[in-house]
Amino acid sequence: MLTQLNIRNYAIVEQLDLELHNGMTVVSGETGAGKSIMLDALGLALGKRADSGTVRNGAERAEITADFDISKIAAARDWLITEELNQDDQCILRRVVTAEGRSRCYINGTACPIAKVRQLGEFLIEIHGQHEHQRLLKKDHHRHLLDAFSGEARLVQQVRQQHKKWRALDQKHKALSQQSEEQAARVQLLSYQVEELETLQIEAGEFESLVKEQQTLANAGEIIQTGQQILQITQDSDSGNCLNLLNQCQHLLSNMKAPSPSIRQTMEMLTNAQIQIEEASQEMNQYLGRVELNPERQQIVEERLSKLFDLARKHRIAPEDLTDHLAAQQQELAELSMSDQELDALAEQVSAAYQDFLQLAQRLSDIRARTARKLAKQVNQQLHDLGMPAANLDVQLTAYESGQPNPNGLEEIEFLISTNKGQPARSLHKIASGGELSRISLAIQVITAKSSSTPSLIFDEVDVGIGGAIAEVVGRLLRQLGGHSQVLCVTHQPQVASQGHQHLFVSKRAGKKHTHTQINTLSCDERIEEVARMLGGIDVTNTSREHAREMLGVQRPH
């Protein structure tokens, strides 16, 4: 439950620190005093959208902190543990909004995305706004109320997830089916091209190897002639070859009678040169041994290269890429050849997903049908207590006409109402007046709140448009809810305010430069005065005080 609410520089609130307790807490005050500011600030802490206008004029930032005791809220504890944000049995939500409009959210001191704060907030507080009756005119809201009352939130989510799975598979199947004709043409083309490439039996690296061989064969005569000349110059000539000249140089150096490091280095270099030339001659000799004039082989190589060039031009690729191109086309052909099998398998998956959806949706429909009767019965009883004895609410489930699976299940849900005996039940916006709609909305809110697992319930002026004995009934209903949940109720009705276990009074005071809102917990005597004010207006009389004491069950002091 909500134990503390701290507000700093929000709207016209400079500083506000509230301690809240179990039971029913009522909030009252004069019109315009700022009763809803506290709830708006709490909404910010729970992830409501913020802007710079929420910051008090002249302040740098607004800050709202809400402290919750979650010792009895297993869902919230589990969520915090999963997100690694747990802090024993305490949960602190903090929201900071700067004057520039920047905003940050914190859960137990850790900065978190606003979406996570909203997720957690669903486990902590349920807010029933003063305009709830307007939402009641929308059929989508009827479905939400019925499903919430059933307590089958998990099944509702499973239906949506299964519908999403079926839809994704179905769209994929349709897309593949539409591509089947194009794929058939592509398969035919690929089959021809793959056969053509496979016929040549091209090996990896073959093109590069053939190019080198062709160059060698085409220049074999020149290569042999030039190679022989090199051998003559290096070692085969009877006189004047490189090796003989080097030997003469070495002989001359060895006869020099001038020992010097330079002479030794020169001798070493000549020796190394002799070794290099000998190795070069041997390498050239071996290479010439592999070169031969072979016109027949040259013709074969050039014909092979010509075929590779022609095929490469046809496929608009480089000749050296032919083997990779063949592998890619073989893979694509294999994938396309399997598409018919995959299409059949995918069709089976679509059918299976649809059947799973139907099974889950039918379970939900059965639960909705039972829940609809239960909800209607309880709401009708509540409507009778709220001064509408002839009213009869009917929760109607109508199968979708389209026949297509819907993420919300198999049927539309609509609340129909008959406010007079003998009158057929019709849509709320066609039958109910404004005052009747408020009472219908209140009855539904109270009934659904009784089954809510949320420990804190907030009612923001939901008693607008009612008064007298009906307001007294509303007050008793909210007090009953306060017996098992924490209830916070903003009200203008003295009959409702008198039922609270705790009473907060909102007032506004104007300073020289600023207007401030403050909230105080009323003592017993202060409650008498406030309820008397709510009964009689600005001028509080002894009669209104006596009436207030009677409503609060307070004995007059002797």
Side-chain angles (χ1 to χ4, degrees):
M1 72 171 197
L2 179 63
T3 58
Q4 284 188 330
L5 181 63
N6 307 103
I7 304 172
R8 300 287 185 275
N9 298 320
Y10 176 75
I12 59 174
V13 176
E14 182 176 1
Q15 179 174 336
L16 180 64
D17 299 296
L18 285 178
E19 286 192 13
L20 298 163
H21 305 283
N22 278 322
M24 176 184 174
T25 299
V26 295
V27 182
S28 68
E30 295 181 356
T31 301
K35 294 184 294 299
S36 294
I37 286 179
M38 178 178 65
L39 301 187
D40 291 340
L42 180 59
L44 274 182
L46 294 166
K48 178 183 172 183
R49 184 182 295 274
D51 58 59
S52 59
T54 61
V55 181
R56 188 175 65 87
N57 187 32
E60 293 182 358
R61 65 181 186 177
E63 184 172 335
I64 298 96
T65 303
D67 195 337
F68 295 87
D69 178 357
I70 59 170
S71 57
K72 297 180 180 179
I73 314 175
R77 290 201 313 272
D78 293 342
W79 188 93
L80 288 168
I81 290 172
T82 300
E83 298 292 332
E84 298 183 349
L85 295 169
N86 57 305
Q87 187 173 300
D88 298 326
D89 291 333
Q90 186 181 36
C91 175
I92 300 175
L93 301 183
R94 179 168 160 257
R95 184 76 174 274
V96 177
V97 182
T98 67
E100 293 79 21
R102 293 190 297 272
S103 173
R104 297 204 71 179
C105 301
Y106 300 86
I107 300 176
N108 287 335
T110 301
C112 293
I114 195 169
K116 288 191 178 295
V117 176
R118 289 173 182 163
Q119 288 176 12
L120 176 59
E122 293 179 0
F123 302 121
L124 302 175
I125 283 186
E126 187 174 314
I127 299 178
H128 298 266
Q130 57 181 303
H131 302 296
E132 196 81 12
H133 61 282
Q134 296 176 4
R135 297 172 62 195
L136 199 58
L137 298 177
K138 301 177 181 179
K139 288 193 286 187
D140 283 348
H141 188 52
H142 300 176
R143 185 190 67 252
H144 171 75
L145 287 171
L146 181 65
D147 288 341
F149 186 68
S150 72
E152 292 290 343
R154 183 177 179 183
L155 179 57
V156 171
Q157 184 63 24
Q158 286 176 333
V159 169
R160 289 194 182 123
Q161 290 175 344
Q162 188 59 39
H163 177 272
K164 183 178 180 180
K165 178 181 178 180
W166 165 81
R167 184 173 176 79
L169 289 170
D170 186 57
Q171 288 179 338
K172 184 178 179 181
H173 180 264
K174 288 178 179 177
L176 288 177
S177 298
Q178 291 173 356
Q179 295 172 4
S180 60
E181 293 184 4
E182 297 177 4
Q183 288 180 348
R186 180 65 176 165
V187 166
Q188 185 176 4
L189 175 62
L190 283 173
S191 298
Y192 169 76
Q193 291 179 338
V194 166
E195 182 180 1
E196 186 178 40
L197 288 166
E198 287 178 339
T199 300
L200 280 183
Q201 298 180 341
I202 307 168
E203 297 180 359
E206 180 184 359
F207 174 76
E208 293 85 346
S209 177
L210 287 173
V211 168
K212 292 179 181 178
E213 185 179 0
Q214 189 272 337
Q215 290 174 347
T216 300
L217 289 169
N219 299 291
E222 183 179 351
I223 290 171
I224 292 172
Q225 182 180 359
T226 303
Q228 291 295 340
Q229 290 176 352
I230 291 172
L231 290 176
Q232 284 287 327
I233 293 170
T234 55
Q235 68 176 10
D236 289 345
S237 177
D238 293 335
S239 63
N241 65 62
C242 290
L243 290 179
N244 286 335
L245 293 173
L246 286 172
N247 284 327
Q248 292 177 24
C249 290
Q250 289 173 326
H251 180 71
L252 292 171
L253 280 174
S254 63
N255 292 329
M256 291 181 68
K257 304 299 182 180
S260 167
S262 297
I263 298 298
R264 288 196 299 274
Q265 290 179 4
T266 303
M267 179 65 75
E268 290 177 1
M269 287 188 282
L270 290 171
T271 303
N272 290 334
Q274 184 181 18
I275 294 172
Q276 292 286 335
I277 290 174
E278 288 176 348
E279 291 179 351
S281 296
Q282 292 173 6
E283 184 66 28
M284 177 57 68
N285 194 37
Q286 292 174 2
Y287 173 68
L288 292 177
R290 299 192 296 270
V291 177
E292 61 178 342
L293 294 171
N294 191 340
E296 293 180 358
R297 175 59 186 170
Q298 182 178 348
Q299 183 179 357
I300 292 171
V301 169
E302 288 177 349
E303 288 176 354
R304 178 68 172 176
L305 281 173
S306 179
K307 290 180 180 180
L308 295 181
F309 275 114
D310 289 344
L311 198 55
R313 279 195 299 271
K314 188 175 182 179
H315 288 263
R316 297 181 180 179
I317 59 172
E320 57 266 28
D321 295 333
L322 282 170
T323 52
D324 291 339
H325 182 64
L326 172 60
Q329 288 197 317
Q330 287 172 329
Q331 181 178 353
E332 184 181 357
L333 181 60
E335 291 174 354
L336 290 175
S337 299
M338 292 175 60
S339 62
D340 289 340
Q341 299 175 7
E342 290 179 349
L343 200 60
D344 293 340
L346 189 56
E348 293 180 3
Q349 293 178 35
V350 172
S351 178
Y354 180 66
Q355 292 302 318
D356 290 343
F357 166 79
L358 285 180
Q359 185 177 4
L360 289 169
Q362 189 59 56
R363 276 178 53 199
L364 181 59
S365 293
D366 295 341
I367 291 172
R368 281 173 170 171
R370 294 193 300 270
T371 305
R373 293 190 291 270
K374 180 180 176 182
L375 178 61
K377 180 179 179 180
Q378 294 187 25
V379 170
N380 286 329
Q381 181 59 54
Q382 202 69 77
L383 288 173
H384 300 165
D385 294 340
L386 290 172
M388 297 179 67
N392 185 62
L393 180 78
D394 179 31
V395 182
Q396 186 178 79
L397 279 65
T398 306
Y400 287 114
E401 294 181 0
S402 65
Q404 287 293 322
N406 188 288
N408 296 317
L410 302 179
E411 59 278 310
E412 287 186 306
I413 297 166
E414 184 176 12
F415 292 174
L416 305 178
I417 189 74
S418 170
T419 55
N420 299 298
K421 289 185 177 180
Q423 183 184 55
R426 298 176 65 187
S427 298
L428 292 177
H429 68 277
K430 294 181 179 179
I431 294 292
S433 65
E436 289 173 332
L437 194 58
S438 293
R439 277 185 276 178
I440 294 168
S441 174
L442 182 58
I444 292 173
Q445 289 179 64
V446 170
I447 292 301
T448 54
K450 286 180 180 179
S451 61
S452 174
S453 59
T454 308
S456 297
L457 306 172
I458 295 179
F459 294 88
D460 183 13
E461 298 188 15
V462 295
D463 50 9
V464 171
I466 61 174
I470 303 304
E472 186 176 346
V473 172
V474 171
R476 289 201 305 268
L477 289 175
L478 295 177
R479 187 178 179 92
Q480 289 174 12
L481 286 177
H484 62 81
S485 296
Q486 181 187 43
V487 173
L488 189 64
C489 177
V490 177
T491 183
H492 287 283
Q493 301 291 346
Q495 296 89 341
V496 175
S498 64
Q499 295 292 331
H501 299 97
Q502 180 182 217
H503 195 143
L504 302 178
F505 179 69
V506 183
S507 60
K508 183 169 62 176
R509 57 184 175 84
K512 292 182 178 180
K513 295 184 179 180
H514 300 286
T515 299
H516 302 277
T517 289
Q518 61 185 22
I519 301 179
N520 297 314
T521 302
L522 299 183
S523 65
C524 181
D525 290 341
E526 289 171 333
R527 286 193 72 183
I528 293 173
E529 289 296 312
E530 172 59 7
V531 173
R533 182 196 66 79
M534 298 172 77
L535 283 165
I538 297 175
D539 297 325
V540 178
T541 65
N542 289 330
T543 301
S544 61
R545 288 190 181 95
E546 287 299 323
H547 192 184
R549 285 192 182 93
E550 182 181 349
M551 294 176 69
L552 290 165
V554 177
Q555 294 286 335
R556 181 181 176 85
H558 297 291

